[in-house]
Amino acid sequence: MNKVQIGIKENLINFILLVVTNFFVGSMVGLERTILPIIGEEDFGLASASAALSFIISFGFSKAIVNYFAGAIAERLGRKKVLIIGWSIGLLVPLLVIFATSWWMIVIANIFLGINQGLAWSMTVNMKIDISKPTQRGLAVGLNEFAGYVGVAVMAAVSGFVATNFSNRPEPFYLGIIIVVIGFILSLLVRDTEEHIKLQTKSSKNNGRTLSAKEVFKTTTFKNKSLSSITFAGLSTNLKDGMAWGLFPLFFTGVGLTVSQIGVLVAIYPASWGFFQLFTGALSDKIGRKWLIVGGMWLQALSLWMILFVNQYSLWFIAAILLGLGTALVYPTLQASISDVAQPEWRASSMGVYRFWRDSGYAFGALFAGLLTDTLNVNWAIGLVALLPLSAGLIAAIRLNETLPSLNKQP
């Protein structure tokens, strides 16, 4: 038996397998990104924005709840088993969409998608952190999120292309069945990280001291200044994304763009988000976490307002890239900050609490976006939602301590 070592280089094959696995995890979300809001309007005749966005609400809340429990479940069953369970549940998603005869079946499909994402994505990021050194966490999370959101982008573009050349259903969702099979096989090949966790726990300054689930929830949500600032920034980021997921196709349809053009714009935002995370996570390991988080939150707000105030395809394209860059600055950095502060014994549980609040943002974003669109209009909904990341950046600037161990020994 090989000696267990901590470090990306020391666990390179397993690390690469986890990166590739998360590409397919992200692809499950990308499959729906371009066409599901359009299916709601065209196939099921949903006139209300709130009704059309109900699939995102069901996805967001189910993913958030599963995120919360995923950490605790993984600490009992092991990361690999939870990853495999996540993929098993994922198979239900494309099958339900393919055979849906009413909108409630789409909503149920997205509950299962939320469970799939909550289990599978949570485990890929936790397993990468388990095998990485403290000074590699930003890089590890950045590569994980890069792979996932490139998966989102690729499949958003591919599904839009397939829908344009064939139909909205069922052809794009045949791809979903293939994605699940590949993801399941990859998960069987991944090595569990239980021994790495034990090694980190032995060397932890906090060795022997554990927190209850209630204590972890309170500490992450509001008791610890840094953790609570990180959590609110995560919630604001995904609230913005829940709105973008639901309203961007409707907004761009309203200004006269084709499904293919919308597919490109909807894809370039997560593509940019994914690509820049190759660099932003690693950058946070060098220069620190705090100001990347603050700047990224503010750039998200400004990019949303840019989308509203320009009226040209090329400028919308640039705004979508900037929105992705703003998200990329914060996404891996927030999770790396959580792992800086939380101790190995309760790190997965703290990450679960953070991801619970962060991904509930999908649901709140879709809910608020739908209500604002129905009472005002799409433009007002996008503009008002942008106030959240702006506020989160301000709070982080005031309350968040630098968490990178090499810059702050007492985060």
Side-chain angles (χ1 to χ4, degrees):
M1 182 176 177
N2 295 330
K3 182 182 177 183
V4 175
Q5 293 179 291
I6 303 296
I8 293 174
K9 185 178 179 181
E10 292 81 353
N11 300 274
L12 190 58
I13 294 175
N14 208 35
F15 191 89
I16 292 171
L17 273 174
L18 287 164
V19 170
V20 175
T21 300
N22 209 48
F23 170 86
F24 290 101
V25 178
S27 296
M28 289 292 290
V29 177
L31 192 66
E32 298 188 343
R33 193 107 188 177
T34 301
I35 53 177
L36 216 54
I38 298 169
I39 287 173
E41 283 195 346
E42 295 183 359
D43 290 18
F44 295 99
L46 300 178
S48 163
S50 297
L53 302 191
S54 56
F55 77 95
I56 303 176
I57 297 170
S58 67
F59 166 79
F61 280 135
S62 67
K63 185 169 189 271
I65 292 166
V66 171
N67 278 339
Y68 176 69
F69 292 106
I73 294 168
E75 282 163 359
R76 290 174 175 82
L77 296 182
R79 319 287 207 228
K80 180 172 177 173
K81 286 181 182 176
V82 175
L83 180 60
I84 291 170
I85 293 168
W87 276 115
S88 302
I89 292 168
L91 183 60
L92 296 169
V93 179
L95 293 176
L96 278 168
V97 176
I98 288 169
F99 295 108
T101 54
S102 58
W103 185 248
W104 69 264
M105 293 179 71
I106 303 291
V107 173
I108 296 295
N110 277 270
I111 292 174
F112 288 118
L113 179 63
I115 296 170
N116 160 259
Q117 296 290 299
L119 295 177
W121 200 310
S122 293
M123 290 310 101
T124 59
V125 72
N126 275 307
M127 291 172 86
K128 286 186 184 70
I129 290 171
D130 292 340
I131 62 181
S132 301
K133 296 173 183 175
T135 53
Q136 297 175 327
R137 287 169 182 160
L139 173 63
V141 178
L143 286 169
N144 188 76
E145 303 303 293
F146 160 77
Y149 283 95
V150 168
V152 173
V154 168
M155 204 49 60
V158 169
S159 64
F161 175 80
V162 173
T164 300
N165 288 279
F166 295 95
S167 64
N168 292 339
R169 288 191 306 155
E171 288 85 357
F173 296 94
Y174 293 149
L175 296 172
I177 297 171
I178 298 170
I179 290 166
V180 171
V181 171
I182 295 171
F184 188 87
I185 292 169
L186 287 169
S187 299
L188 292 174
L189 298 175
V190 165
R191 287 180 57 195
D192 211 339
T193 57
E194 183 181 359
E195 295 301 319
H196 298 82
I197 302 165
K198 289 178 181 176
L199 184 60
Q200 289 189 17
T201 301
K202 285 179 184 177
S203 61
S204 169
K205 294 180 295 184
N206 197 52
N207 189 29
R209 183 182 163 216
T210 58
L211 299 180
S212 68
K214 184 178 180 181
E215 288 173 320
V216 173
F217 186 87
K218 288 163 65 175
T219 299
T220 308
T221 304
F222 60 86
K223 283 181 72 174
N224 183 288
K225 281 201 312 179
S226 292
L227 290 177
S228 60
S229 300
I230 292 164
T231 298
F232 182 63
L235 187 151
S236 300
T237 294
N238 275 12
L239 191 147
K240 168 270 304 175
D241 193 45
M243 175 279 298
W245 185 354
L247 293 190
F248 278 8
L250 303 181
F251 173 81
F252 291 124
T253 298
V255 296
L257 300 185
T258 66
V259 174
S260 291
Q261 288 176 314
I262 295 168
V264 170
L265 290 177
V266 169
I268 198 63
Y269 152 51
S272 166
W273 177 353
F275 173 74
F276 286 117
Q277 285 179 114
L278 269 177
F279 311 101
T280 56
L283 184 62
S284 78
D285 290 333
K286 304 294 183 185
I287 68 170
R289 323 285 195 206
K290 175 172 178 170
W291 293 106
L292 287 181
I293 292 169
V294 173
M297 297 309 298
W298 288 342
L299 182 56
Q300 289 177 63
L302 293 174
S303 302
L304 288 175
W305 288 325
M306 180 179 175
I307 286 170
L308 293 178
F309 292 115
V310 300
N311 192 29
Q312 192 175 325
Y313 186 79
S314 60
L315 294 177
W316 281 320
F317 191 87
I318 292 169
I321 291 174
L322 291 175
L323 184 61
L325 173 59
T327 311
L329 286 169
V330 306
Y331 224 71
T333 312
L334 290 168
Q335 292 181 90
S337 292
I338 291 280
S339 63
D340 290 339
V341 179
Q343 297 299 320
E345 298 90 336
W346 50 277
R347 185 172 61 212
S349 294
S350 182
M351 191 74 77
V353 174
Y354 161 73
R355 289 168 69 86
F356 164 77
W357 286 118
R358 188 196 69 184
D359 290 336
S360 68
Y362 280 123
F364 290 126
L367 188 62
F368 292 152
L371 291 172
L372 288 169
T373 299
D374 288 338
T375 54
L376 299 169
N377 58 47
V378 171
N379 294 49
W380 271 101
I382 294 172
L384 290 173
V385 165
L387 292 172
L388 252 315
L390 186 74
S391 303
L394 182 61
I395 289 169
I398 296 168
R399 298 186 73 238
L400 177 61
N401 294 323
E402 178 54 61
T403 66
L404 183 66
S406 62
L407 296 183
N408 186 353
K409 300 298 182 184
Q410 297 291 329

